[in-house]
Amino acid sequence: MTPPLSHRLARLVARLLRVRSSYDVRQLLRAGRLVAVFGLLIIAPVALLAYFALATTSEGSTSIEADLSPRALGLLDQIVEEQAEIFNQFEAAVDRRLLRNQSPVNGLDELSPHIIAAFYLDGAGTITDPFELPIRDDPAEATPAFERLMQQAVRSEQGGELERAAQLYHRAAQEIDSPRLQGEARLHQARLHSALGVNENTYADVIGDYGALRDSRGFRIADIARLNQAEEAAGRSPDGALALRELVEVLMGARWVLFEGGEPTVARRALTRLEELRRGGAAIDPDWLARTRRSLDRRDAQLYWSGFLFDEIPEVLSASPRLETGTAYQSTGESPALWALRRAGRDTLLYAFNRAQLLETMARSAERLADLDADLVAAVEPQDAELSAPPVFRRAFERIPGFEVRVSAADPAALQEARRRRAATRIAIILLAIATSVIGIGVTVRYVLNELEAARVKTDFAANVSHELRSPITQIRLKGEALQLDLIRDDEDRRAQYDAIVREAERLSRLVDNVLDFSAMERGAKRYTMRPEDPVDLIYTTVEISRPSIEQAGMTLEVDLPDDLPVIWIDRDALGQVLTNLLSNAVKYGASGKWIAVEAAHNGGALEVRVRDRGIGIAAEDRDKIFEDFYRSADPRVRRCKGTGIGLTIVRYIVEAHGGRIRVEPTPGGGTTFVVHLPLTAREPGGASPHA
Ligand code: ADP
């Protein structure tokens, strides 16, 4: 197992800070540069990214509004534009009328379908068009004599005495001073004259004398006279129908009186008669009839609304700005009207829109436009009405004071849910990105540390090899010089010097062989010569070569081999090197146990050779690594021994080239056991590279 990252970092820093040479300084600078580049190119962008991502996530709530708002504002624009169009068209139509000197207060339908009344006021604020105010210039009371004569006349008429009745009406007219009452009495007289077929001119006289007057019910006497005359004539000749039609046209062209329904009532009556006549077969233009009926209805409604709204005029005038151009709109209190005021020179034009109808039209248009966006709903509300759940986008109607259009989310709960989900996804993605970055950083740091470690290990290797070379060379030189200078006590001593020289030379050549083999194996250039060999012979021979150094270390050697080991195809030299390396390690690291055992056994198709010691043992976390290039345990007891870290690597290469495996396990009671596991099946070597 690798020591924890923190330890390795600490070790690295400790190494980096132990500045001893220019090499160390260079290393330090290189590492500093690495840290700077790493921080600048990876840590800083990742941190910035995480910061901004998290910062924008916290704005999630407003971002939905921001999301909705362009569409909502677009919708508001459209709705308000449609609303403005109604008024723009109205204002343009009024302009056209004024420019052409046409009455701007008649034919309201053509101005706007929503206008219910209009008033033309002169500079003094008096209504001049389209209706006039009633004039009560004859407040006369009937005298008792007049009343009596009139009652007698009615009774005579009911009794069938028409001539007498006519005379009584005439006398009543003479009895009274009031022209209006005179007119009323004379009208009855004319009716009876007509019925009796006497004095054809009575109607004409009444119209001439009293025509302009109005009776007590507000009817113009001339209108009633003409109506009676024409109705009576209609029964007799086509001229009557013509007279009725003329009467209607006169009445339609006349200025009607506010609060009174004389003209429209007479006109309606005449029109009804004409329709009856037409049904009876008279030649009357049906189009004219329909057209006239329509405009009569409209004008009648206008008269009704004008009377209804008349009282509001002073308030509207006083509340309106003294504007010279343009149109001012206002809506007063509970009034059903939306008022539009504009100046025409010194005069003033007042229009009353049906506010409820207008608002309904606006609401429908808002709904229709909002239907195009499933996320939004629109409504027209009074400005002081309570708001529903936000977000609500609102815009006041410029020309309908007190009202506004509101656009809000169609389904706020769904919006909320979508907002929550989006924020959650965003946070998840950010966390994932951060986690990936952190992992990436960790992996990179680890990789860099490994590379640094590998570089260090290689440097150590070079130092270790030189160190290992020096000691046999020194020994050989010392012994050689002793012989050369004849510093030898006796033959036994001489013999010992020669033995030492041979032993050190062997050690030297073993070391050089190891290094050369290792580099050949690394390059894949190592060749094996496989032959059938007797494993017992191989093991004995190799053990005998190592025996002197084992004994010199004061260790006992036990070799336990069965007699029946089968012949095996191997490269004898290479397998000898495997055993030698394992034995030399057992001497180095197992000396404290004073015991080495070499055992062999075969089971099934494999031969297993064990080399055991009772020395320092191998920590569990080192067991996988000791077979790696240059690896040496950090254990100080290991570090005290000389070594290069390639011995076990070579062992592994060779064993694997034979199709076998090498493993390490603890010796029961302490120490190390290496197990070489070789298949017995004869085979060609695995090729040049043990990795293959
Ligand atoms: P070297 O012995 O030159 O350090 P090796 O490749 O032979 O290199 O061994 C690698 C490491 O394995 C040693 O440094 C040591 O830590 C460990 N090792 C090998 N053999 C033994 C053993 N018999 N007992 C304890 N540790 C061992």
Side-chain angles (χ1 to χ4, degrees):
M1 287 287 125
T2 324
L5 196 69
S6 55
H7 283 196
R8 304 181 66 186
L9 259 177
R11 237 167 39 211
L12 182 77
V13 171
R15 267 183 64 81
L16 288 175
L17 293 184
R18 234 182 293 127
V19 179
R20 282 176 310 212
S21 62
S22 64
Y23 170 79
D24 284 353
V25 173
R26 269 205 314 280
Q27 284 287 88
L28 197 65
L29 285 179
R30 198 176 304 162
R33 212 158 46 224
L34 196 75
V35 168
V37 168
F38 196 68
L40 213 70
L41 295 186
I42 297 178
I43 307 266
V46 167
L48 267 176
L49 219 69
Y51 170 75
F52 281 117
L54 286 172
T56 50
T57 306
S58 66
E59 292 162 10
S61 59
T62 52
S63 85
I64 289 278
E65 283 186 36
D67 203 49
L68 212 57
S69 94
R71 290 189 280 155
L73 296 178
L75 182 58
L76 281 178
D77 283 345
Q78 275 180 300
I79 294 171
V80 167
E81 213 170 285
E82 268 205 16
Q83 173 252 346
E85 198 45 39
I86 294 177
F87 293 98
N88 291 343
Q89 280 174 8
F90 153 69
E91 287 171 22
V94 172
D95 280 342
R96 268 199 309 277
R97 292 257 182 115
L98 290 174
L99 220 72
R100 294 180 192 157
N101 262 330
Q102 292 169 336
S103 163
V105 288
N106 275 312
L108 301 184
D109 269 7
E110 292 158 25
L111 297 180
S112 162
H114 303 293
I115 297 182
I116 46 176
F119 302 94
Y120 200 112
L121 308 173
D122 64 13
T126 313
I127 293 179
T128 59
D129 222 12
F131 306 115
E132 59 190 34
L133 287 171
I135 308 162
R136 290 270 170 264
D137 53 356
D138 185 8
E141 301 257 329
T143 61
F146 175 77
E147 294 264 319
R148 202 176 49 247
L149 284 168
M150 288 297 277
Q151 279 162 15
Q152 281 174 7
V154 170
R155 272 200 299 275
S156 300
E157 193 178 341
Q158 283 166 351
E161 300 168 88
L162 299 187
E163 275 172 48
R164 186 174 144 70
Q167 279 164 15
L168 283 167
Y169 282 127
H170 188 75
R171 274 179 51 204
Q174 285 172 328
E175 187 62 33
I176 192 83
D177 288 338
S178 152
R180 175 165 64 79
L181 293 176
Q182 282 176 13
E184 282 182 32
R186 290 291 307 278
L187 200 56
H188 286 298
Q189 188 196 9
R191 182 168 48 77
L192 292 179
H193 280 177
S194 172
L196 290 166
V198 299
N199 207 351
E200 295 283 318
N201 288 332
T202 317
Y203 272 129
D205 292 346
V206 170
I207 292 169
D209 295 345
Y210 306 103
L213 298 178
R214 284 174 189 273
D215 71 9
S216 47
R217 292 166 302 165
F219 290 104
R220 263 191 356 143
I221 288 174
D223 295 343
I224 302 286
R226 286 202 182 97
L227 178 67
N228 288 350
Q229 210 177 5
E231 277 189 325
E232 286 152 15
R236 297 192 297 269
S237 74
D239 285 355
L242 214 65
L244 276 174
R245 183 172 166 164
E246 261 167 34
L247 176 63
V248 170
E249 271 166 353
V250 167
L251 289 169
M252 291 302 291
R255 186 167 302 171
W256 296 359
V257 181
L258 221 46
F259 309 117
E260 285 179 359
E263 282 84 351
T265 307
V266 173
R268 199 176 294 282
R269 166 76 181 263
L271 213 55
T272 308
R273 278 311 307 273
L274 281 167
E275 282 160 359
E276 281 167 15
L277 289 172
R278 200 189 92 77
R279 279 199 293 277
I284 299 162
D285 179 5
D287 286 348
W288 177 86
L289 272 179
R291 210 167 49 240
T292 312
R293 170 70 72 178
R294 255 199 321 275
S295 66
L296 173 66
D297 286 346
R298 274 203 300 267
R299 203 146 166 237
D300 208 11
Q302 187 182 349
L303 183 70
Y304 162 80
W305 277 113
S306 300
F308 189 87
L309 296 170
F310 181 76
D311 288 346
E312 292 183 20
I313 293 179
E315 199 188 333
V316 173
L317 287 179
S318 68
S320 279
R322 297 250 130 249
L323 75 174
E324 293 303 320
T325 55
T327 307
Y329 293 85
Q330 56 168 288
S331 189
T332 45
E334 296 297 296
S335 165
L338 165 74
W339 290 96
L341 180 145
R342 71 168 284 167
R343 304 278 170 195
R346 299 193 54 244
D347 301 338
T348 305
L349 287 167
L350 269 184
Y351 294 92
F353 286 81
N354 184 336
R355 195 175 65 185
Q357 183 190 326
L358 201 58
L359 287 171
E360 207 187 300
T361 307
M362 300 319 328
R364 270 204 309 276
S365 110
E367 276 166 29
R368 180 171 44 75
L369 290 169
D371 273 352
L372 300 175
D373 190 329
D375 288 347
L376 297 174
V377 285
V380 172
E381 310 253 16
Q383 270 172 326
D384 48 14
E386 220 169 279
L387 286 181
S388 56
V392 174
F393 303 86
R394 48 210 292 211
R395 182 95 44 90
F397 282 127
E398 208 180 304
R399 275 116 146 191
I400 314 181
F403 286 84
E404 62 183 13
V405 55
R406 292 176 184 175
V407 169
S408 53
D411 186 351
L415 198 70
Q416 195 68 32
E417 176 58 22
R419 168 188 313 190
R420 206 191 52 67
R421 252 203 323 268
R422 206 180 319 174
T425 324
R426 204 134 121 192
I427 289 178
I429 291 173
I430 291 166
L431 289 183
L432 195 75
I434 292 176
T436 322
S437 308
V438 167
I439 291 172
I441 290 170
V443 168
T444 314
V445 167
R446 218 191 143 114
Y447 177 77
V448 169
L449 288 180
N450 283 347
E451 285 299 297
L452 287 176
E453 180 67 9
R456 184 187 66 77
V457 161
K458 277 186 183 152
T459 319
D460 283 0
F461 171 71
N464 288 343
V465 168
S466 324
H467 200 69
E468 285 245 340
L469 286 174
R470 197 158 59 211
S471 111
I473 289 172
T474 310
Q475 287 298 323
I476 292 169
R477 208 181 69 211
L478 283 178
K479 310 288 175 197
E481 276 172 2
L483 289 170
Q484 188 182 39
L485 300 176
D486 213 7
L487 300 175
I488 308 300
R489 290 186 302 268
D490 47 29
D491 278 355
E492 196 182 335
D493 191 18
R494 186 182 306 276
R495 181 106 223 118
Q497 302 291 345
Y498 284 136
D499 283 353
I501 288 175
V502 171
R503 203 175 53 241
E504 291 304 320
E506 273 171 357
R507 192 169 136 197
L508 197 59
S509 79
R510 226 175 23 241
L511 185 71
V512 172
D513 281 352
N514 264 350
V515 174
L516 288 178
D517 278 347
F518 173 75
S519 103
M521 287 166 184
E522 283 276 272
R523 277 181 286 118
K526 172 81 178 168
R527 298 271 170 259
Y528 297 90
T529 319
M530 308 299 258
R531 280 204 196 85
E533 298 283 350
D534 171 13
V536 175
D537 177 50
L538 167 69
I539 293 169
Y540 271 123
T541 317
T542 316
V543 163
E544 280 320 306
I545 294 171
S546 299
R547 189 182 287 280
S549 53
I550 294 171
E551 280 168 358
Q552 205 190 20
M555 302 172 83
T556 55
L557 174 66
E558 280 176 26
V559 182
D560 181 6
L561 304 176
D563 302 329
D564 60 343
L565 289 182
V567 167
I568 182 169
W569 277 76
I570 48 170
D571 179 317
R572 187 185 172 93
D573 289 346
L575 263 249
Q577 197 176 3
V578 166
L579 261 186
T580 311
N581 280 359
L582 291 179
L583 285 170
S584 121
N585 276 354
V587 171
K588 268 200 287 187
Y589 307 114
S592 57
K594 307 256 174 246
W595 174 81
I596 294 179
V598 179
E599 298 159 7
H602 79 105
N603 64 343
L607 170 71
E608 276 193 351
V609 181
R610 288 182 157 73
V611 178
R612 316 162 68 116
D613 65 55
R614 291 186 182 141
I616 59 173
I618 298 178
E621 71 258 22
D622 276 347
R623 273 180 212 143
D624 287 333
K625 294 196 196 146
I626 51 174
F627 298 103
E628 287 170 13
D629 305 357
F630 312 121
Y631 187 83
R632 304 201 71 215
S633 162
D635 187 332
R637 288 172 301 175
V638 171
R639 291 296 163 133
R640 272 199 293 276
C641 305
K642 289 175 199 144
T644 55
I646 59 172
L648 287 180
T649 314
I650 292 171
V651 166
R652 176 172 59 85
Y653 276 145
I654 295 173
V655 172
E656 285 175 358
H658 283 76
R661 290 190 311 274
I662 169 102
R663 65 175 196 273
V664 63
E665 49 196 40
T667 306
T672 311
T673 298
F674 284 97
V675 184
V676 178
H677 178 101
L678 292 169
L680 284 178
T681 36
R683 63 185 285 282
E684 286 302 306
S689 166
H691 295 298

